[in-house]
Structures are given as structure tokens and as C-alpha cells.
Amino acid sequence: MEKILCYSCNKSKNKLNVRKSSLLPINLFLCQTCIDQKLEPRWVVLISGRQNGHEHVKEFVQKKRYIGVEITAAELLV
Ligand SMILES: [Zn+2]
């Protein structure tokens, strides 16, 4: 069976859950660890920040509720 990677941590898990993103109107495959930590994929935070403004993703950026390199203010501006 094809292994799906968690959209957030990019790890291959035996079980992934489909979760509605709290930032974008899309569904995400997330592992339980990421769900428990209320993480969103880094790219979702970026896209949402660009579409809706940095205020919209402020909490995610400040509390670093994503995995990966730090999101800078410049990245949220296009
Ligand atoms: Zn994960």
C-alpha cells in the first residue's frame, strides 16, 4: 500500500487523519502528533498569510505552530 506522508511533519506514519485546515478551506492528512500539537503545515501558514494577511496567521507564526524553518515577515508578503 502506498505510504502517505503527514502534510505537516513529512513523516511516514501508519495512520494519518484527514483534518480540515483551520487556516485554509482544504483537507490535510495529519498524524496524531501534529494534530495534538495543533500544527498546520508550514506551506499552509504561508499561503494563508499571503491570502488573508499576516494578522490571520499571527498566532501560528508567534507560537510556531508549524514544522520547519522560521517563517519571516518577508515571506508573508508577496
Ligand atoms: Zn505529523
Side-chain angles (χ1 to χ4, degrees), residues 1-18:
M1 211 181 95
E2 196 185 336
K3 281 263 184 184
I4 310 172
L5 303 179
C6 171
Y7 281 21
S8 170
C9 64
N10 252 332
K11 286 179 186 146
S12 167
K13 302 275 177 142
N14 288 328
K15 189 174 176 284
L16 289 177
N17 306 285
V18 180

